[in-house]
Amino acid sequence: MRFGWKIAFYITRAVVPYFLFSWLLLSVILFVQQASRFSDIFFTANIPASLVWQLTAALIPNVIAFTCPMAALVGVIIGMTKMQGDSELVAIRAAGVGNIAITAPMAVLGVTLSVFAFLINVYGVPIAASAVRSVAMRAAIVKLESPIEPGVFNTEVAGYTIYVKDGDIDTGRWKNIFIHAEDPKSGLVRLITSSNGRIDSTGEQSELVLENAVSTTFNATDQKERFVSEKIGEFRFAIKTRRGELIEKLGSTDITPEELGLGQLSRYADSKDGRERTEAEILWQRRILLSITPLIFSLLGTGLVLRFNRGGRGFGILMALVSLVGFYLVAFAAEQLARTGRISVIAAGILPIGASIAAIIWFNLVSTSGSVTSIEARAREIFTRFRRGREGKPQRSNLLVDVTTGLRDLDLILNLLRYYALTLLFLAAVFIIFTAFELWRFAGTMDGGLGLLVRYLIYLLPFIYLQLAPSAAMIAVLATYVIKSRQNEIVTWTAAGQSVYRLLFPAFLLMLVIGGVNLALQEYIAPQANLVQDQIRNQLRSRGVARSAGKYWVANDRRIYSFTLSGSASDNEKQLNYGSTIPALSDVTVYEFVDKGERLQTLYRSSSAVWDEKSLRLTGETRRTDFGDGSVSTATVGETVLEESSNPLLEIRKKPSQLSSAETRSQIANLESDIERRSFAVALEKKYSTLLLPFIICLFTAPFALSLSRKGKVITVGYAVGLWLLFMGITALFEQFGLSGSLSPELAVWSPIMLFTLLGIYLLSKVRT
């Protein structure tokens, strides 16, 4: 009995470190994905730090509840695969310990994790969902406390579009103010311009106070278009904002199903009919499924390793990936069948559990009986023939050997690429599964939702790759050199006179190549893909309705442009490539100012326009109105060309992820808002750092994998992962300093990189050579 406890403890101790590393890594990656949904809170300077920390804490329960089962599967498979490769499982079996005794500690681990996941899903997730909603509402209220920001078009004030060219946020004094108010029923448009002003907010009311104001009124639908322009001096009026509406929502007792516990959710489902009832029941069963999945995955992973008793960690990761994808595909299919009414909701919950139990029984019982299915035998036969065929042919890798210094470099590069690809595949699968789970409740209830979701995930792939590439590089370096060290290859090479610095050269070279690939993808593919996936995501969340963005407003030193995008949402994907000759703009209005933006001089209105290199061409019938000293004249003119030094229409793409580096620089030149300028400047420096990021991560993680001793590898790898997490944390902290203006964008982005570069050099200098 004592011997059995020792074996159980040993197996558990071999699995737990890999489980913890996987759990931490997956949670960090999915947390970044979730945090990107709330970038307007995390990266807004005037949001209180307390709200940011509350939102951070609120996002954690849902993430760790989702990653716990995945980490259990990965930890069990990799940990037991390591024992299999070291022949430790062979020795345990030779001592009389059977598969059931080997599986028992994994079952105990799975039950423990399932109890934890159940508590999180029952109590933590609903509380966190409520906290996220509360923080989002309170952040919106904070933004409305001062609804004006220099250089930004504000449409939060009902019925008005307000723009100030310059000002002081602290004192609330604004310069060169432009206010547009339009009555959609009568077509009456009122423009108010002023050289100075402010907004005073009290309670739910905001009072706009202007000095030296000029009011211009006209009817956009009237063919005669009579203009009335007058100087009104000081001008003040109260404006009702949406602050009261948000406060009312914040205090409302109405909560969403995601915020309900299991008992409350069950009663909520009983009180509903139709689609709402089905969705509530699916959500209830999903929480139960995620709670027992750690136990299922622990048993499934153990059965996989015990059945397939060959292969290294790479094979283990591949098995984990296939198992994850298969399980969640069955879960998705079952939910969709329940939504369409083909099976009951209870059957939908039982289906993935039943399939997993069948797989566990097959892996354990069938393998112990020694019988092999015909499919498996055929697969092994094909694999054997493939290997024999390759052995009889000249190896194409000889060319790679010739251009390197020998087999050692080629072997290192191939191993690095293999683990890099496997890690990317696994992490991308987790990322996609989590995203699909989040959007499935929208896609599963609309016609063509599955196709739209698949299309969204395809366009999301460049973003996923760029997010995961640094983490995959870190894991690839650690896995490659740790395994080489455990197999005594590092000792052999160093004994032959090779320096560890020379052994790291292929890794450094490959990381620079990967950085170059990432940079090219970021510049030429990701911007358009991110633009399209944002549009598809909005369409999914609105259940298939392609919502129009409405009227766009952009400005530069002399002009303010107002327009809409012509065509459908799919056409707009092409139209946002502003170098094309396709007319992309309709209902165009251009306000041209003089005297440093203080006085309106000319008003252009056209049905269509197109950006043409260094000018905006008004291609439709254009009406030009000139405002002189006490006089107004209007005339219809033909095609009009407005010269511009840079493309002001890039401001439509408000996210840096939708712009290349050159477009980001152009955007910065056009921005009037200091806050937005800092945000885009930080993003630009991050784009520049993409080339070096894999190399830097390799520099400070490789020393932990180069120990010539086989002892303490788990601890040293833990140090490397911890240092990587510290790098990410410090990088995010310095970015906040850059966004708030405490540091320059260059210093905010490059300081952590230089700091960890020096740290990596120091750690390398301490490695025994």
Side-chain angles (χ1 to χ4, degrees):
M1 180 65 67
R2 188 176 179 182
F3 177 75
W5 279 110
K6 285 185 177 180
I7 293 295
F9 179 75
Y10 185 83
I11 294 174
T12 304
R13 190 176 63 180
V15 167
V16 167
Y18 293 102
F19 161 72
L20 293 176
F21 291 153
S22 303
W23 199 7
L24 182 61
L25 180 66
L26 293 174
S27 297
V28 169
I29 290 173
L30 290 187
F31 177 83
V32 172
Q33 186 262 358
Q34 285 288 286
S36 64
R37 296 169 47 206
F38 300 94
S39 57
D40 57 333
I41 296 178
F42 279 108
F43 301 112
T44 299
N46 59 345
I47 296 297
S50 60
L51 287 183
V52 175
W53 287 113
Q54 289 177 37
L55 180 59
T56 300
L59 293 177
I60 292 176
N62 194 39
V63 170
I64 63 175
F66 197 85
T67 54
C68 180
M70 298 178 176
L73 178 65
V74 175
V76 168
I77 288 182
I78 295 181
M80 296 195 69
T81 299
K82 171 184 171 295
M83 295 181 65
Q84 192 82 273
D86 293 342
S87 299
E88 291 176 316
L89 289 183
V90 175
I92 290 173
R93 283 168 168 163
V97 179
N99 285 353
I100 295 179
I102 294 174
T103 304
M106 297 299 95
V108 173
L109 176 64
V111 170
T112 303
L113 295 177
S114 290
V115 171
F116 172 81
F118 179 78
L119 294 175
I120 292 295
N121 279 290
V122 171
Y123 299 106
V125 171
I127 294 174
S130 178
V132 167
R133 184 175 69 119
S134 175
V135 169
M137 287 289 185
R138 288 155 62 191
I141 292 172
V142 169
K143 290 181 181 180
L144 289 179
E145 295 291 348
S146 179
I148 298 299
E149 179 185 330
V152 176
F153 286 91
N154 183 283
T155 57
E156 295 289 344
V157 180
Y160 294 88
T161 297
I162 304 175
Y163 175 81
V164 294
K165 183 177 177 61
D166 197 5
D168 189 338
I169 296 179
D170 295 330
T171 62
R173 299 290 303 178
W174 317 118
K175 296 181 179 179
N176 298 341
I177 304 167
F178 170 86
I179 302 174
H180 176 275
E182 182 175 357
D183 185 347
K185 294 182 179 180
S186 64
L188 189 66
V189 178
R190 189 181 189 190
L191 306 177
I192 302 174
T193 57
S194 175
S195 58
N196 297 284
R198 70 181 186 275
I199 282 190
D200 296 333
S201 296
T202 56
E204 299 179 17
Q205 299 292 327
S206 290
E207 188 176 42
L208 182 61
V209 183
L210 304 180
E211 303 168 5
N212 303 320
V214 176
S215 173
T216 303
T217 305
F218 65 94
N219 195 315
T221 61
D222 190 352
Q223 296 297 325
K224 297 181 179 179
E225 290 186 326
R226 192 180 64 164
F227 285 80
V228 177
S229 181
E230 58 180 340
K231 294 183 179 181
I232 54 178
E234 183 175 286
F235 185 75
R236 73 169 59 219
F237 58 96
I239 305 171
K240 182 176 176 57
T241 69
R242 295 192 303 114
R243 188 175 189 271
E245 175 189 343
L246 293 174
I247 293 176
E248 183 179 352
K249 286 185 179 180
L250 184 61
S252 174
T253 57
D254 294 335
I255 57 178
T256 62
E258 288 78 9
E259 302 172 39
L260 300 175
L262 286 181
Q264 295 172 312
L265 190 57
S266 178
R267 290 190 292 271
Y268 174 85
D270 292 338
S271 65
K272 299 295 181 179
D273 295 315
R275 178 177 295 176
E276 289 185 350
R277 181 189 181 97
T278 302
E279 289 297 325
E281 290 177 344
I282 288 175
L283 180 59
W284 189 92
Q285 289 200 157
R286 181 182 294 176
R287 289 185 184 173
I288 299 296
L289 179 64
L290 290 177
S291 298
I292 64 175
T293 303
L295 174 60
I296 294 174
F297 279 176
S298 296
L299 297 176
L300 182 62
T302 305
L304 280 167
V305 175
L306 294 178
R307 178 172 178 81
F308 302 102
N309 55 8
R310 294 182 180 180
R313 290 177 182 82
F315 183 67
I317 294 175
L318 183 60
M319 287 195 299
L321 175 61
V322 173
S323 302
L324 275 179
V325 173
F327 178 84
Y328 285 108
L329 279 178
V330 173
F332 285 146
E335 287 187 3
Q336 183 60 20
L337 290 174
R339 286 189 175 96
T340 57
R342 297 181 181 179
I343 62 175
S344 66
V345 176
I346 295 177
I350 294 176
L351 190 59
I353 298 175
S356 301
I357 292 175
I360 293 169
I361 293 174
W362 185 78
F363 286 139
N364 286 278
L365 298 184
V366 175
S367 61
T368 57
S369 65
S371 62
V372 179
T373 63
S374 59
I375 297 177
E376 184 180 351
R378 182 61 179 169
R380 289 181 178 179
E381 181 182 353
I382 293 174
F383 180 73
T384 302
R385 289 181 179 178
F386 175 76
R387 292 190 62 180
R388 289 175 180 173
R390 286 185 58 83
E391 289 173 359
K393 296 181 180 179
Q395 299 294 316
R396 285 183 289 180
S397 59
N398 289 341
L399 177 61
L400 295 176
V401 176
D402 294 339
V403 299
T404 63
T405 59
L407 289 172
R408 181 198 60 238
D409 291 340
L410 180 62
D411 179 65
L412 286 172
I413 289 175
L414 290 179
N415 275 278
L416 286 165
L417 287 174
R418 181 178 65 174
Y419 287 113
Y420 181 73
L422 281 173
T423 305
L424 273 178
L425 283 174
F426 182 81
L427 295 180
V430 173
F431 201 107
I432 289 172
I433 289 171
F434 190 81
T435 304
F437 247 87
E438 178 187 348
L439 295 177
W440 191 253
R441 60 193 178 101
F442 301 105
T445 57
M446 52 182 279
D447 294 334
L450 178 60
L452 200 62
L453 179 60
V454 170
R455 187 162 171 257
Y456 168 74
L457 293 176
I458 291 174
Y459 278 102
L460 189 65
L461 288 177
F463 175 81
I464 293 175
Y465 171 79
L466 292 174
Q467 289 287 317
L468 300 180
S471 303
M474 182 268 297
I475 295 174
V477 171
L478 284 177
T480 298
Y481 285 97
V482 165
I483 292 174
K484 295 296 182 186
S485 179
R486 284 188 56 83
Q487 294 173 347
N488 291 324
E489 293 183 60
I490 300 292
V491 176
T492 303
W493 287 335
T494 53
Q498 290 293 325
S499 168
V500 292
Y501 304 125
R502 178 61 184 82
L503 297 178
L504 285 175
F505 176 76
F508 290 148
L509 181 62
L510 181 62
M511 292 302 111
L512 288 174
V513 172
I514 290 176
V517 172
N518 295 349
L519 183 64
L521 182 66
Q522 170 190 275
E523 294 298 305
Y524 300 107
I525 298 177
Q528 186 64 19
N530 289 336
L531 180 66
V532 176
Q533 59 104 343
D534 278 346
Q535 293 174 344
I536 299 177
R537 183 185 181 90
N538 291 334
Q539 189 174 351
L540 279 170
R541 297 186 73 89
S542 60
R543 302 189 187 277
V545 179
R547 294 181 295 183
S548 173
K551 183 172 289 188
Y552 289 92
W553 294 85
V554 297
N556 57 19
D557 290 339
R558 297 178 52 210
R559 299 185 178 107
I560 292 177
Y561 296 89
S562 170
F563 54 87
T564 59
L565 292 178
S566 58
S568 63
S570 59
D571 294 334
N572 292 338
E573 296 172 12
K574 300 177 181 179
Q575 293 168 356
L576 286 170
N577 289 321
Y578 295 116
S580 67
T581 57
I582 303 174
L585 311 181
S586 60
D587 299 327
V588 183
T589 305
V590 182
Y591 306 90
E592 190 172 88
F593 296 84
V594 293
D595 299 333
K596 298 181 180 180
E598 295 182 3
R599 183 169 60 87
L600 179 64
Q601 181 187 44
T602 308
L603 173 66
Y604 299 92
R605 283 164 295 157
S606 178
S607 58
S608 60
V610 63
W611 173 256
D612 187 10
E613 294 183 354
K614 292 295 183 180
S615 63
L616 184 73
R617 289 191 294 112
L618 305 179
T619 55
E621 182 180 270
T622 303
R623 298 182 67 82
R624 171 173 175 165
T625 303
D626 294 299
F627 300 88
D629 294 332
S631 63
V632 179
S633 61
T634 301
T636 300
V637 297
E639 181 176 295
T640 303
V641 178
L642 303 178
E643 300 290 339
E644 291 287 0
S645 58
S646 60
N647 185 359
L649 304 183
L650 284 177
E651 281 200 49
I652 295 178
R653 297 184 179 184
K654 287 296 184 181
K655 295 183 178 180
S657 62
Q658 299 173 356
L659 302 170
S660 65
S661 296
E663 290 171 333
T664 305
R665 288 195 299 269
S666 178
Q667 179 78 302
I668 293 172
N670 289 328
L671 289 173
E672 299 288 342
S673 168
D674 289 336
I675 294 177
E676 284 197 331
R677 189 182 296 112
R678 287 198 301 267
S679 175
F680 275 79
V682 169
L684 179 62
E685 296 301 324
K686 288 180 65 178
K687 290 178 183 292
Y688 292 154
S689 68
T690 299
L691 175 64
L692 296 177
L693 195 56
F695 174 80
I696 302 303
I697 291 177
C698 175
L699 189 64
F700 67 75
T701 56
F704 292 97
L706 283 175
S707 173
L708 302 182
S709 171
R710 295 184 62 182
K711 297 181 180 180
K713 274 298 172 186
V714 172
I715 297 177
T716 55
V717 170
Y719 288 153
V721 175
L723 192 60
W724 168 75
L725 293 175
L726 181 63
F727 171 71
M728 292 186 63
I730 291 179
T731 299
L733 179 63
F734 271 69
E735 284 180 18
Q736 287 293 325
F737 289 150
L739 293 171
S740 64
S742 301
L743 293 175
S744 67
E746 296 80 6
L747 198 59
V749 172
W750 291 100
S751 292
I753 293 177
M754 296 304 299
L755 175 64
F756 278 81
T757 299
L758 295 175
L759 178 60
I761 294 174
Y762 171 77
L763 293 174
L764 278 178
S765 68
K766 295 296 182 180
V767 174
R768 291 172 55 190
T769 61

